[in-house]
DNA sequence: TTGAAAGCGCTAACAC
DNA sequence: GTGTTAGCGCTTTCAA
């Protein structure tokens, strides 16, 4: 069933039917009702491609996932984020288009997204500290919102981010307050902006207490379990081993726990661990588990919010950039208890 | 830059340019080269919407995620699966469209996907045992491939699935061989097909050894850490506590480990745990961690394969259904060691 | 308040 | 081998 068929069925012109369906004021209320009813009864659903061609709007939002040989993992929160975003799009009649972009031909890929015209705006995922996509997209004039930030870019752009610096500052302070002086940092890849900011938070807290950050206690890598295990194992084997760890992901923290166990130590007695867990939001309520967390529902909320921001930018071209900071919750469970030092 | 402009620039008709670009044989090689070069130089990229309108093909594949109030989590492997699928699509020039479908208006949603014409085929995620989407899509004539299966549906359809039954049969047998007789099953929601089959595997292995499955040792729920913790805690507190656990997800297994620890027991000495981990494929190599695993790369491979299957079905309408079974790897690490009973 | 007609960017008969 | 022309399904002037 297409517009033409529907209009013939109703003995009206396509124009009138189209107007009735799209809420134009000039159709009489009677016709509108009649059209609406027929559309429903006959299961009419407009062809988005045709509509897009005619209007120049795609009625779709692109979510771009950078796929790199250096960091192969797709962030597991992606599903939750997109499900939140989907909620915002659904109301506005937008579809979601996923684009996977390798780091080899990044510029061409984004230019093509623009030229192909299949999206009206995009959400940029996984920003690096000096992400070239931001000036590029600005130049291309394609509305976009970054999920995260790029610390080394000064020109204004729209973003929504978790306060990673503050989260790690607080976590570090918490451990310092418990008396820890040697705290291992098991961080993500630090060319990724979120990881860079987390380290900044860690370093900030240490230096504020007059402690010099020790490079031997800082690791940066792709956050797998094995990475967490090896990093913690090396630190624990070294001279002046850490009495606490700050892990940038639940998975890496799993490895850290295993290393602690393998060293014959006990979590919460000999060694404390705090995890930042926005990469596994569905952990539950974190009961008894010490962590900073962006829970599933907050990741979803972030997705919805980012989508709303983007839709606003699309609706109002020329609108100045929108930004939003989300604070991470700090949940400290019993097993963090003061470590024996 | 569109076709018209490009053709004017080249002083050729749109037709010829279109043919040259799309590999039709009737253009002379010289013209084709000239056209290709100009297209590259001028950053020409065809408008997919217009192309789709003209051809009737959308050049896009839909991935449909069921969003339910009963199981809110988006499977974290989704990102990896789609990144694998994306690779297959990229080569064929397809885009990825994500649709989130609630369980309230499922039928209407799928009908609309069909009518809107924005995808040429879909991948169905998260199948339930008797999933109504399968007969519906068959009726609609929209090519589809199910990621997983629906045990209670007999009519043939295309699917790609992990051998969950076999994985859990083997895991259970492994524990039985170690001398365990009381094995707790921490399973996913059993109206989901994967969870149903996993229980079948567990039950099969027990009964084959003449053991009756004990309902007190079987749990079904959404796989959070808290769920694993509570389930294991209850079982351990009961009379005749289990000496081993089989957990359907890494996250739930985390909770199980915590419950074991809280009960004053030790993993690998008092209690063994095996995890099926296709929901967290990026765990690493599982070294020292006992688990069945669909690794990140295998999840990705599954995505690629499912996509290839779908593309074939789209290319050859009327092709009989394709099916593919993937075997889970069994990785047993040292900490599984025979339990003291 | 309604309709006729042009056009969005592209493909595909059908000529030549 | 290349060009002309008529759509694909919809929106949007312009006219009535």
């Amino acid at each position: 069933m297409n517009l033409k068929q529907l209009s013939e069925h109703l003995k009206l012109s396509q124009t009138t039917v189209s107007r009735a369906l799209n809420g134009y004021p000039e159709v009489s209320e009677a016709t509108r009702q009649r059209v609406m009813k027929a559309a429903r009864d006959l299961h009419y659903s407009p062809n988005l491609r045709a509509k897009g061609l005619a209007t120049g709007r795609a009625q779709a939002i692109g979510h771009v996932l950078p796929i790199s040989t250096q960091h192969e993992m797709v962030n597991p929160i992606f599903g939750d984020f997109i499900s939140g975003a989907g909620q915002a799009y659904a109301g506005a009649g937008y579809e979601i288009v996923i684009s996977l972009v390798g780091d080899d031909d990044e510029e061409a890929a984004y230019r093509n997204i623009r030229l192909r015209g299949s999206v009206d705006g995009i959400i940029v995922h996984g920003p690096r500290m000096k992400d070239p996509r931001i000036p590029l997209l600005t130049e291309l004039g394609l509305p976009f919102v970054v999920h995260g930030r790029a610390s080394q870019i000064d020109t204004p752009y729209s973003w929504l981010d978790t306060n990673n610096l503050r989260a790690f500052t607080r976590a570090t302070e918490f451990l310092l307050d418990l008396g820890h002086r040697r705290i291992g940092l098991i961080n993500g890849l630090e060319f990724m902006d979120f990881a860079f900011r987390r380290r900044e938070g860690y370093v900030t807290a240490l230096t504020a207490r007059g402690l010099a950050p020790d490079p031997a206690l800082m690791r940066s890598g792709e956050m797998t379990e094995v990475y967490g295990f090896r990093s913690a194992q090396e630190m624990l084997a070294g001279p002046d081993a850490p009495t606490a760890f700050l892990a940038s992901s639940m998975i890496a923290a799993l490895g850290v726990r295993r290393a602690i166990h393998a060293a014959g130590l006990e979590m919460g007695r000999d060694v404390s661990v705090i995890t930042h867990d926005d990469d596994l939001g569905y952990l539950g309520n974190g009961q008894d588990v010490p962590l900073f967390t962006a829970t599933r529902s907050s990741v979803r909320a972030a997705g919805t919010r980012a989508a709303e921001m983007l839709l606003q930018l699309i609706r109002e071209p020329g609108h100045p950039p929108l930004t939003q900071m989300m604070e991470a919750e700090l949940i400290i469970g019993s097993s963090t208890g003061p470590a024996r030092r």
Side-chain angles (χ1 to χ4, degrees), chain A residues 7-317:
Chain A
S7 64
E8 282 166 0
H9 174 88
L10 287 161
K11 305 217 185 305
L12 283 171
S13 72
Q14 293 189 36
T15 317
T16 304
V17 177
S18 167
R19 285 200 271 238
L21 259 18
N22 291 294
Y24 282 68
E26 56 263 52
V27 265
S28 75
E29 204 41 41
T31 0
R32 189 190 304 280
Q33 291 307 328
R34 201 161 68 89
V35 171
M36 296 290 244
K37 183 174 183 331
R40 234 177 294 115
D41 294 349
L42 279 72
H43 297 300
Y44 168 75
S45 181
N47 182 308
L48 287 189
R49 254 175 293 130
K51 199 164 177 162
L53 231 207
T55 55
R57 277 169 271 124
Q59 290 293 88
I61 302 295
H63 279 248
V64 188
L65 293 179
I67 300 292
S68 155
T69 43
Q70 282 177 85
H71 54 106
E72 285 205 299
M73 302 185 348
V74 174
N75 192 330
I77 66 159
F78 178 65
D80 283 322
F81 187 89
I82 210 135
S83 103
Q87 221 171 311
Y89 300 145
Y94 279 79
E95 293 196 320
I96 304 169
V97 173
I98 305 288
S99 300
L100 304 163
V101 175
D103 44 5
D104 39 344
D105 55 346
E106 212 170 38
E107 177 163 350
Y110 283 84
R111 286 190 185 279
N112 275 343
I113 287 172
R114 175 69 221 263
L115 290 169
R116 275 202 309 264
S118 39
V119 299
D120 297 323
I122 70 181
I123 304 261
V124 173
H125 293 269
R128 285 146 286 165
M129 287 175 57
K130 188 185 172 77
D131 203 306
R133 298 177 291 173
I134 293 171
L136 175 61
L137 287 167
T138 306
E139 177 208 325
L140 291 177
L142 190 60
F144 70 98
V145 170
V146 180
H147 178 208
R149 271 175 293 173
S151 303
Q152 288 185 8
I153 291 196
D154 298 324
T155 50
Y157 58 91
S158 297
W159 54 261
L160 174 146
D161 197 9
T162 299
N163 197 340
N164 284 298
L165 191 143
R166 186 137 191 286
F168 270 59
T169 304
R170 285 174 63 206
T172 308
E173 282 171 353
F174 178 83
L175 290 169
L176 289 169
D177 286 344
L178 287 176
H180 295 281
R181 287 297 170 270
R182 303 277 300 162
I183 302 171
L185 174 68
I186 313 294
N187 203 4
L189 291 162
E190 290 175 354
F191 58 82
M192 298 295 286
D193 197 77
F194 80 93
F196 168 73
R197 285 180 190 272
R198 288 178 183 183
R199 189 186 59 182
E200 287 292 293
Y202 165 85
V203 169
T204 301
L206 288 180
T207 40
R209 302 272 179 116
L211 294 170
D214 179 353
L217 295 185
M218 293 156 76
R219 289 284 190 291
S220 164
E222 190 164 29
M223 299 187 288
T224 61
E225 202 258 0
V226 179
Y227 159 66
F229 178 71
R230 296 220 178 110
S231 305
Q233 198 175 40
E234 285 164 21
M235 289 187 194
L236 289 171
D240 211 358
T243 58
F245 286 95
L246 199 44
S248 211
S249 105
M250 196 62 222
I251 303 301
L254 258 179
V256 172
R257 290 190 192 190
R258 190 154 59 84
I260 290 170
H261 186 76
L265 301 169
E266 196 176 309
M267 283 265 310
R269 192 194 64 193
D270 308 305
V271 186
S272 295
V273 176
I274 292 188
T275 306
H276 181 99
D277 178 44
D278 78 354
D279 63 343
L280 214 62
Y282 57 102
L283 182 73
N285 63 6
Q287 191 193 21
D288 247 342
V289 178
L291 77 168
F292 273 92
T293 183
T295 55
R296 273 194 61 245
S297 57
S298 73
V299 169
R300 230 176 181 165
T304 305
R305 183 72 195 107
E308 285 167 354
M309 287 163 66
L310 183 53
L311 290 178
Q312 185 180 352
L313 293 173
I314 290 170
R315 259 196 313 273
E316 306 170 25

